Amino acid sequence: MIAAIDAADAHDAVARRELEGVPDQVGQRLDDAIKTVTDLPFGGTDCALPMLYALAKEREVDTFVVFTDSETWAGDPHPAQALSDYRRASGIDARLVVVGMVSNGFSIADPADSGMLDVVGFDTATPQLIAQFASGVL
């Protein structure tokens, strides 16, 4: 909720072994929103799913933002490859931000790709950082 994008075309989803929509949390109290997400059955996380879904559904996405407990890749292709495939097929120079809530040495971003960003941890500056990266300021 804190990092939710204020845009009519933003979509919230949970990426486990498949991408699932999350019930709309607009106007929900924080404790109710946490309960909604906490009650979901979690398993392996596949951070490539947002790009694969957008590609399969022909969705126009300029920035993918993934929040994870730092489990980042439980599938094929790797998220960096999925982003590359999405860009090539859609013609959109999409960006990817992966926010790992804890540090376990994860890395999704290709260091040679300026359109990918790994973030470890989350504080009050994180939403602005994501917004600036998404808009191309950073």
Side-chain angles (χ1 to χ4, degrees):
M1 281 177 58
I2 294 168
I5 297 171
D6 185 20
D9 57 352
H11 300 279
D12 296 329
V14 175
R16 298 179 293 205
R17 295 286 180 184
E18 60 187 52
L19 200 67
E20 297 178 34
V22 174
D24 190 3
Q25 298 174 353
V26 174
Q28 257 188 337
R29 291 170 33 109
L30 182 57
D31 58 340
D32 291 334
I34 290 170
K35 180 169 179 11
T36 298
V37 175
T38 301
D39 289 345
L40 295 172
F42 288 97
T45 302
D46 185 348
C47 291
L49 285 177
M51 286 74 73
L52 297 175
Y53 179 87
L55 188 57
K57 300 292 185 182
E58 298 182 356
R59 297 275 174 96
E60 294 181 359
V61 179
D62 56 20
T63 304
F64 297 93
V65 181
V66 177
F67 296 90
T68 178
D69 58 1
S70 292
E71 184 176 339
T72 57
W73 183 32
D76 189 42
H78 187 278
Q81 183 60 51
L83 180 64
S84 178
D85 293 346
Y86 177 81
R87 288 171 172 164
R88 187 173 29 264
S90 69
I92 298 170
D93 192 22
R95 293 172 170 254
L96 172 62
V97 180
V98 178
V99 181
M101 296 300 180
V102 297
S103 177
N104 66 355
F106 87 92
S107 179
I108 293 290
D110 175 349
D113 186 337
S114 63
M116 299 180 73
L117 177 66
D118 288 333
V119 178
V120 178
F122 191 98
D123 66 14
T124 57
T126 306
Q128 183 177 6
L129 172 74
I130 294 168
Q132 289 177 339
F133 182 77
S135 68
V137 173
L138 296 179

